[in-house]
Amino acid sequence: MKQDIFQAIADPTRRAILTLIAIQALTPNVLAEKFDMTRQAVSKHIKVLHECELIKAEQSGREIYYQLNPQKMQEIDNWLAQFRKLWEAQFNQLDNVLLTLKKQKK
């Protein structure tokens, strides 16, 4: 079953995993060493991220390395961009109101 991307990134451990593998591809064992939880628990988090296609697996000999999938992250950013524009417009309006109030106060 494919996981929801936003549910996947809602978990702080999964966000931390994404941050770590954004820097470099890592194996599940190396990732597990970074957290105070079992390797199996980390593997469950990896599975969710992999099902969402936020990370990709690459086999190298016996090891599996997980790396960030920048295309999927771009999809999230594109979705958020519409809200970013709205927020910026609202902040600009607030700035204008505050400047007007400041001028009136002088």
Side-chain angles (χ1 to χ4, degrees):
M1 178 170 95
K2 190 167 181 170
Q3 298 283 332
D4 178 69
I5 290 173
F6 293 100
Q7 284 181 327
I9 61 175
D11 184 276
T13 300
R14 290 193 282 266
R15 288 194 308 269
I17 291 171
L18 288 172
T19 301
L20 288 169
I21 65 172
I23 298 166
Q24 70 180 42
L26 297 171
T27 65
N29 287 333
V30 172
L31 282 167
E33 291 171 3
K34 309 278 186 193
F35 298 94
D36 187 25
M37 62 180 67
T38 65
R39 162 112 170 35
Q40 291 79 15
V42 171
S43 289
K44 287 181 182 181
H45 288 295
I46 291 171
K47 180 181 177 189
V48 170
L49 294 170
H50 192 257
E51 287 176 353
C52 292
E53 300 174 354
L54 288 168
I55 61 175
K56 301 186 280 188
E58 187 175 305
Q59 187 86 30
S60 178
R62 287 188 188 179
E63 296 287 345
I64 297 174
Y65 286 84
Y66 288 97
Q67 59 188 354
L68 193 67
N69 180 357
Q71 289 81 19
K72 200 54 127 171
M73 296 300 286
Q74 184 64 50
E75 288 179 28
I76 294 170
D77 187 55
N78 291 343
W79 184 81
L80 288 172
Q82 63 187 332
F83 298 103
R84 195 175 299 117
K85 290 177 186 174
L86 175 66
W87 297 328
E88 286 174 2
Q90 290 177 342
F91 284 131
N92 287 338
Q93 288 177 346
L94 180 59
D95 283 344
N96 290 337
V97 168
L98 293 174
L99 283 172
T100 302
L101 290 173
K102 190 175 181 179
K103 287 178 184 177
Q104 289 175 353
K105 199 174 183 180
K106 288 182 180 182

